[in-house]
Amino acid sequence: MRKILFLFLLAGPLFAQTKQPVDYVNPLIGSAPSQTPTAKRHSEAGSELKGQIAPAIGRPHAMTTWTPQTQATETKCIAPYYYNDPKINGFRGTHWLNGSCVQDYGSVSIMPVSGKLALRPAERGSRFDHKTETVTPAYYDVRLTDSNIRAELSAHTRAGLLQFTFGTGGDNAILVEPNSDEGEGYVEIHPERNEIVGYNPAHRIYQGAGQSAGFSGHFVVQFDRPLTTFGTWTNYEPSAGSKQAKGVGRKESVGAYVRWNLKPGDVVRVRVGTSFVSEAGARKNLQTELSDWNLARVRQQTEAAWNAELGRMQATGRDTDKTMFYTALYHANLTPRIFSDSDGAYPGFADDTAIHKASGFDYYCDFSLWDTFRACQPLQNLLNPKRSGDMMQSLVKKAEQGGWMPIFPCWNSYTAAMIGDHAQSAIADAYSKGVRNFDVKGAYKYLRKNAFDVNSDPKSYEAGKGRRALASYLQYKYIPLEDSVWQAFHKREQVSRTLEYAYDDFCLGQLAKALGQTSDATILNQRARNYRNVLDPATGYVRGRYADGRWIARFDPFALRVSFITEGSPAQYTFFVPQDVQGLARLVGGRERFVAKLDTLFNDGHYWHGNEPNNQISYLYACAGAPYKTQARVRQLVQDEYDTSPGGLSGNEDGGQMSAWLVFSMAGLYPVCPGTPYYVLGSPTLDAVTIRPGAGNASFTIKALANSSQNVYIQSATLNRKPFSRTYLTHNELVQGGELVLQMGPLPNKNWGSKPEEAMPSVLPE
């Protein structure tokens, strides 16, 4: 007995050191320029080389995350943090849409300074060494070299806690700056409460650019020591003793500062509550989430929240692979962000100025739907259907308050930022996978309005309400080249719009059928075939077409940019027919010619992983009888397009989509056609992954036996110990639990999964 006890005590430290999922996450991945070949080839003016990731410290889908700030701006396409920047000039409570080319809004920055009171970012910024950075989803720690200050922070969902250890005695200060893009920020000091409060009004971009978004980012900043010396600034001119400063929209920088005479090693702690409703809401959020000043406790609790989130998928494999996998799963769980306060209050959507109450659900915003409908929203449907339902209910509430289902809702406003109408896909996919905790009938009402009703009101259409170019789409069954959409950020791209609307109509048709709307379903299924009207039979590629039926004369299917395609080539977009892969294959000459066209895309360097309409393409081989080619392509993409360095993302992250692709693909499957309950199999990078769907207690494990960088091909498979040759799984199979075992090898088994009946079924009726 003593020997057993001794061995147990000896092993104790080993058990204590077992790594948790959060320990594998590297939030710096994507914060430096991408070095992948496809990003370099296809990037326009270098824009797609930026991963646009700012390390986000806080809870999953937090209202406000915290990040070191190297760029003091809320300018479009400028992230708060870039890995290659040499100085930190603040620590920002940010609402940056991770991996995007949009803009931050309603943010506030906190910056400690030592010695002379320096207010301008270029002057107050301090050098730092990445070797001194500790970065996790729950904690950030860095030494500011120039000012000899150690900065630490952690955060909850709506509140953050910062801790500064001042290495140099004497005059030291902390600055509080609302980063107002239009110069309308406000700060007020309340020394009797040891508080600084304020707000930063949000403004729209894209449709209604520069107009008020109808709400502000409110903040309450509390200090753990008395405020005896303080002041404010306007345009970086300090005003000692002043308690208020307000910008009047002339691009003024305003802020507040507090100063102390400190001893070396003194610590100052700062708590910050945030809200999109009011100062009172920010204070209540702070009181609810951070009851004390214990940074270690906040860190521990936030780590636990991330371990619960990331632990929905348990990965087995090399540490490098687990770092890529869990970092991707972390990135996929940053947005959409919770927009409602701890008591459920949130500002009305678009031009609704009322304060609403989310009852029984969290209200979410910042849906990058052109990107995230593909894999990020399906990942939520699989792992956290309750949260997915809250997101779908948030879309319904936006539609009720704004009158139309939003297409790309950000900043709690309509945007018309990208093409398509992909709330159709997100909601249909949720419903097809059993998500029911949202107003489905209300959702259908507004989805149908988007699909059938042309918005004839010029003012609201210009503001982003209604499908772009719907009148032409309904008249011609495609969008002709004559129809440019001036009331949108992307103003032409007629072929891409046609393809995306055909897919969206399919999704709504699936939902209509499930809800018993048979007449609508029939019409929508017909419209789902509209992709055929822009597929040129002479070339086998999609092509611009005029209203009279003529094809555009000058045509290169591999041109990197053409006016009728969104951010890519006709060859790439030809394969965006997820609703009818089999029909597309027949139209281009059958399965063999379809596979040959896929080979041309990859072998000749025309594939671009960093542009989302490409993301499902590698899985289409499996739909055409050549799953071994899917297996090889997916493995190669994981190897080429991702790594664990700061530049380890292939272009923009785009709200989590690039990472969601990686999560699914490393696990061994992918939702090629959201809106249907199917996942196409690829080639797992991980040796095993156990999926714990949020719908119940069952778990589903995918094992790759003899897995290695050479053994990328499936030789045989069993599902629940029975021989298995399908190249897809159903959602029900995953949520009911079970085990898929894949025997891997170095040479392709061209027979496995090659029969037509073994491919993902085409659910579009003939």
Side-chain angles (χ1 to χ4, degrees), residues 446-747:
Y446 287 102
L447 292 173
R448 189 188 189 282
K449 182 178 180 180
N450 271 31
F452 284 87
D453 295 358
V454 174
N455 185 356
S456 57
D457 176 56
K459 185 175 181 181
S460 67
Y461 182 70
E462 184 175 355
K465 299 181 181 183
R467 275 198 195 181
R468 310 292 92 174
L470 179 59
S472 288
Y473 178 74
L474 295 178
Q475 178 180 353
Y476 298 99
K477 298 182 175 57
Y478 65 94
I479 302 175
L481 293 172
E482 292 92 338
D483 190 355
S484 294
V485 185
W486 304 117
Q487 304 90 342
F489 180 69
H490 290 260
K491 303 188 185 307
R492 292 183 174 85
E493 305 173 12
Q494 297 89 342
V495 169
S496 293
R497 290 184 194 277
T498 300
L499 294 168
E500 296 198 13
Y501 287 165
Y503 163 70
D504 292 328
D505 287 341
F506 163 80
C507 291
L508 186 57
Q510 292 296 104
L511 185 59
K513 180 181 177 182
L515 298 179
Q517 303 289 335
T518 55
S519 177
D520 283 355
T522 299
I523 295 170
L524 289 161
N525 281 329
Q526 280 298 121
R527 286 166 53 172
R529 297 180 176 85
N530 285 347
Y531 76 90
R532 300 176 181 181
N533 299 324
V534 291
L535 184 68
D536 175 17
T539 64
Y541 290 103
V542 294
R543 186 172 182 176
R545 194 173 190 182
Y546 294 100
D548 62 7
R550 289 178 299 116
W551 299 103
I552 192 169
R554 298 181 61 185
F555 179 64
D556 175 4
F558 305 110
L560 297 185
R561 293 289 197 282
V562 293
S563 66
F564 52 82
I565 294 293
T566 301
E567 299 175 356
S569 72
Q572 294 163 5
Y573 244 103
T574 294
F575 296 103
F576 186 71
V577 188
Q579 75 275 20
D580 194 19
V581 180
Q582 305 302 332
L584 177 64
R586 287 192 297 271
L587 286 174
V588 300
R591 297 171 98 198
E592 289 187 8
R593 289 196 64 184
F594 183 78
V595 168
K597 292 177 81 68
L598 288 169
D599 284 342
T600 296
L601 193 76
F602 284 98
N603 294 339
D604 295 352
H606 301 302
Y607 175 84
W608 178 16
H609 191 68
N611 196 36
E612 281 73 14
N614 291 248
N615 283 177
Q616 88 287 353
I617 294 178
S618 58
Y619 288 89
L620 299 185
Y621 286 107
C623 301
Y628 68 95
K629 292 198 172 188
T630 283
Q631 295 153 26
R633 297 296 187 194
V634 169
R635 279 294 188 98
Q636 194 67 45
L637 289 172
V638 171
Q639 176 181 308
D640 290 350
E641 305 294 337
Y642 300 87
D643 61 47
T644 59
S645 73
L649 275 180
S650 178
N652 288 358
E653 164 72 346
D654 284 324
Q657 169 57 26
M658 297 301 295
S659 287
W661 184 95
L662 185 62
V663 169
F664 273 119
S665 295
M666 292 188 76
L669 70 171
Y670 191 76
V672 166
C673 185
T676 66
Y678 304 118
Y679 303 85
V680 176
L681 296 177
S683 175
T685 309
L686 297 165
D687 296 338
V689 62
T690 296
I691 303 168
R692 294 186 170 87
N697 296 320
S699 61
F700 191 94
T701 299
I702 299 174
K703 289 184 178 178
L705 303 182
N707 192 32
S708 70
S709 59
Q710 291 77 37
N711 292 356
V712 304
Y713 295 104
I714 297 173
Q715 307 299 298
S716 62
T718 60
L719 177 62
N720 300 328
R721 300 184 179 180
K722 296 179 181 179
F724 183 78
S725 58
R726 279 194 278 118
T727 59
Y728 68 95
L729 291 168
T730 69
H731 188 73
N732 280 340
E733 286 170 333
L734 293 181
V735 299
Q736 288 172 3
E739 183 179 68
L740 176 68
V741 178
L742 306 173
Q743 183 65 50
M744 310 302 292
L747 299 175

Side-chain angles (χ1 to χ4, degrees), residues 6-71:
F6 173 75
L7 291 174
F8 177 79
L9 292 173
L10 185 64
L14 297 178
F15 287 116
Q17 294 173 13
T18 301
K19 293 179 75 172
Q20 297 297 309
V22 74
D23 298 323
Y24 290 101
V25 177
N26 178 4
L28 293 177
I29 294 176
S31 62
S34 173
Q35 297 301 310
T36 69
T38 64
K40 291 180 177 180
R41 172 177 170 79
H42 294 277
S43 177
E44 188 173 49
S47 61
E48 303 298 334
L49 294 180
K50 296 178 180 177
Q52 297 290 72
I53 286 291
I57 290 82
R59 296 290 178 95
H61 299 274
M63 170 188 285
T64 304
T65 55
W66 288 84
T67 188
Q69 173 183 293
T70 65
Q71 296 286 330

